[in-house]
Amino acid sequence: MMNLIAWLLRIALFAVFAVFASLNTQPVTLHYYLDQSIELPLSVALLIFFALGTVITAIFVRCRCHSNQ
């Protein structure tokens, strides 16, 4: 039963994120150093930065757990 509830919650969350992504397709320009820039849809830029934050957090947590042992 809990497995079913977990899957229903995942499906609902995916639906919310899919609707958010489809409503936010406006292009955003990201400027880098040396006058370099890239133009992406807003939802893609948010997804990239969310993934980067997740990876950086996982690296810090892993390093911290290994330093305590």
Side-chain angles (χ1 to χ4, degrees), residues 6-56:
W7 274 105
L8 289 175
L9 183 62
R10 289 176 187 156
I11 291 170
L13 220 60
F14 177 78
V16 168
F17 289 143
V19 169
F20 176 80
S22 68
L23 293 175
N24 290 293
T25 58
Q26 299 87 0
V28 192
T29 303
L30 301 174
H31 297 279
Y32 297 107
Y33 298 110
L34 302 174
D35 291 332
Q36 293 180 347
S37 63
I38 187 171
E39 193 168 304
L40 297 170
L42 176 61
S43 58
V44 173
L46 289 174
L47 178 65
I48 289 170
F49 285 107
F50 176 76
L52 280 173
T54 303
V55 168
I56 290 169

